[in-house]
Amino acid sequence: RVLELTGCANLLTPKLTLFIFGLQHYAASMVASSRSYADFTPEATFDIKKVDLHRLEEGPPLTATLTREEGLKYYRTMQTIRRMELKADQLYKQKIIRGFCHLYDGQEACAVGIEGGITLSDHLITAYRAHGYTLTRGGTVREIMAELTGRRGGIAKGKGGSMHMYTKNFYGGNGIVGAQVPLGAGVALACKYLGNDQLCVSLYGDGAANQGQIFETYNMSSLWKLPIIFICENNQYGMGTSVERSSASTEYYKRGDYIPGLRVDGMDVLCVREATKFAADHCRSGKGPILMELQTYRYHGHSMSDPGVSYRTREEIQEVRSKSDPISMLKDRMLSNNMASIEELKEIDIAVRKEIEDAAQFATTDPEPPLDDLCSHIFANDQPFEVRGATPWTKLTSTS
């Protein structure tokens, strides 16, 4: 319009006209977006499934309040975990990721819900299905993907791989079945000793639930009233064995006997969050340990070497996806209560996919760690020292 008024309309080339139209469309969409965002419901309260209780007179509330900001954050994080695991599946099949690789898709509500019920100053330790927790504890997709491919930019400098990732107040990623549970008790003991009002979440699966060391840890934690939340992520199968075939009692939340327990819908992020808040309050009040069983489901097999359909049917997996998917459940709640628009959630999906693709590109081009780094980081804070290599005449140096 300015060009027309100044007699310069002849400068309007087709490309310039298209550019101006694009700017107008962008400006209009931004105005519409800002206007529609202001119309969204900022907060809503939802009914959630009742929690089964053991040795408790009352449990978590039957409703959960969700703000729009929380909902968008939970949605983005769960989508990031889902897409990250699907990309890991693809890279594994291309033989870019090697070795053990246990994927977390389907169980996203557990990691995100637990994180919503504690703080980043609290502590967490889990088994080898650890990619999701590495992200929620502060790791980046780029660092996680690079660790999976064994590159220098990985979260453990390319030396840990899928099962051994760590961040501040996150102690892995542990490859030995059930071994992380007593380690978590040690972290909880440190919290009590220091009197810092922190706690430790110690996670294990239904496949590890019959381990003797777990019951020893229950006993010790109860005697010492440690601030620890034991969480059994019951995804229905320990490797290829169903819980009914492996456990005489499948009520894992009662396994602590003298320790109070909760059985929670692990596919609902709000259920998990409210139960975790309840459990955290229990620990911080000095009542000692508490046990949670999260009933969840993994879409992939136990690991990438397991197709996951020899001991369960494709129809069973599809039924869980269609009826109980944690991401779809949160999405439906937000859309039905005008807390977000379909377009806004699609924008998040696009941004997440781009983040995953960028991370995968980095993970396949970043250099592998050199042999000189093999023995570094043995100790957190120590002077460099020599380490004998594979032969007596091979010497390596360890630096902190």
Side-chain angles (χ1 to χ4, degrees):
R1 181 61 179 152
V2 172
L3 291 172
E4 288 176 357
L5 291 173
T6 54
C8 300
N10 60 321
L11 297 176
L12 282 169
T13 63
K15 286 186 178 179
L16 183 58
T17 304
L18 187 62
F19 174 71
I20 292 171
F21 175 77
L23 284 177
Q24 290 173 334
H25 179 73
Y26 175 75
S29 65
M30 288 298 289
V31 171
S33 295
S34 61
R35 189 180 300 130
S36 60
Y37 289 172
D39 294 337
F40 286 136
T41 305
E43 184 178 288
T45 301
F46 301 95
D47 293 329
I48 55 176
K49 190 175 178 181
K50 185 178 179 181
V51 169
D52 295 319
L53 306 177
H54 171 66
R55 286 187 176 269
L56 288 165
E57 292 184 2
E58 19 180 86
L62 298 178
T63 60
T65 300
L66 179 72
T67 66
R68 171 176 149 77
E69 289 72 26
E70 288 172 339
L72 292 174
K73 178 184 175 183
Y74 297 164
Y75 180 82
R76 177 183 285 272
T77 306
M78 288 199 289
Q79 276 287 28
T80 301
I81 295 172
R82 177 72 56 86
R83 292 288 165 188
M84 180 173 69
E85 298 296 63
L86 294 177
K87 176 55 71 173
D89 171 274
Q90 181 184 341
L91 294 177
Y92 197 96
K93 288 171 179 173
Q94 293 172 355
K95 298 187 178 180
I96 296 172
I97 296 173
R98 298 296 190 106
F100 293 106
C101 187
H102 306 81
L103 302 182
Y104 199 67
D105 50 318
Q107 299 183 212
E108 297 89 352
C110 297
V112 176
I114 289 169
E115 207 63 65
I118 58 175
T119 70
L120 284 174
S121 63
D122 290 318
H123 308 264
L124 191 144
I125 188 167
T126 189
Y128 37 75
R129 204 177 301 278
H131 307 162
Y133 289 103
T134 308
L135 184 75
T136 60
R137 288 267 93 189
T140 66
V141 177
R142 188 182 173 102
E143 291 172 324
I144 295 167
M145 295 301 294
E147 191 59 42
L148 288 172
T149 57
R151 306 305 171 109
R152 186 186 284 181
I155 202 160
K157 312 299 181 189
K159 297 190 289 185
S162 171
M163 300 192 293
H164 303 103
M165 301 185 185
Y166 312 91
T167 64
K168 185 175 174 59
N169 297 333
F170 175 57
Y171 308 90
N174 292 267
I176 305 300
V177 175
Q180 72 279 3
V181 179
L183 295 179
V187 175
L189 176 61
C191 292
K192 182 169 183 177
Y193 183 81
L194 295 170
N196 54 21
D197 200 36
Q198 295 172 4
L199 57 84
C200 182
V201 175
S202 190
L203 293 124
Y204 57 96
D206 53 279
N210 297 319
Q211 286 266 324
Q213 60 188 327
I214 291 179
F215 292 90
E216 293 176 45
T217 307
Y218 289 164
N219 181 62
M220 187 180 295
S221 300
S222 189
L223 284 172
W224 293 349
K225 291 198 177 301
L226 299 184
I228 183 168
I229 306 174
F230 297 107
I231 298 184
C232 175
E233 287 184 287
N234 177 8
N235 61 22
Q236 315 305 319
Y237 297 93
M239 297 187 73
T241 306
S242 68
V243 293
E244 291 81 11
R245 292 179 58 216
S246 67
S247 299
S249 169
T250 58
E251 294 182 314
Y252 296 106
Y253 71 112
K254 294 181 179 180
R255 289 288 193 92
D257 187 13
Y258 36 78
I259 296 176
L262 308 166
R263 182 163 60 188
V264 183
D265 180 0
M267 302 299 275
D268 183 348
V269 67
L270 296 184
C271 273
V272 176
R273 187 191 70 179
E274 295 307 309
T276 305
K277 285 181 179 179
F278 178 89
D281 289 342
H282 175 94
C283 288
R284 293 193 215 279
S285 65
K287 296 178 181 176
I290 190 168
L291 198 161
M292 288 170 54
E293 175 190 344
L294 304 182
Q295 294 187 309
T296 184
Y297 199 85
R298 57 170 162 80
Y299 293 156
H300 267 85
H302 169 72
S303 69
M304 284 302 298
S305 61
D306 168 25
V309 290
S310 60
Y311 49 87
R312 59 182 183 176
T313 64
R314 295 184 188 278
E315 289 73 26
E316 177 185 312
I317 302 168
Q318 188 54 43
E319 184 179 9
V320 176
R321 280 183 179 274
S322 61
K323 294 181 179 179
S324 306
D325 183 77
I327 299 175
S328 298
M329 191 183 304
L330 177 64
K331 180 179 179 179
D332 292 344
R333 277 174 169 160
M334 294 190 72
L335 291 177
S336 61
N337 285 270
N338 193 37
M339 299 181 78
S341 67
I342 293 177
E343 293 73 23
E344 185 178 15
L345 297 181
K346 282 183 179 177
E347 286 174 13
I348 292 175
D349 295 345
I350 292 168
V352 166
R353 285 194 182 96
K354 184 179 186 307
E355 182 183 9
I356 301 299
E357 290 302 324
D358 290 347
Q361 178 66 23
F362 173 74
T364 53
T365 56
D366 191 50
E368 294 180 355
L371 183 62
D372 292 345
D373 284 358
L374 181 64
C375 294
S376 293
H377 312 114
I378 293 175
F379 296 105
N381 188 16
D382 206 350
Q383 295 297 317
F385 62 93
E386 263 192 359
V387 178
R388 185 185 130 164
T391 61
W393 53 88
T394 307
K395 300 292 183 184
L396 296 167
T397 301
S398 176
T399 57
S400 297

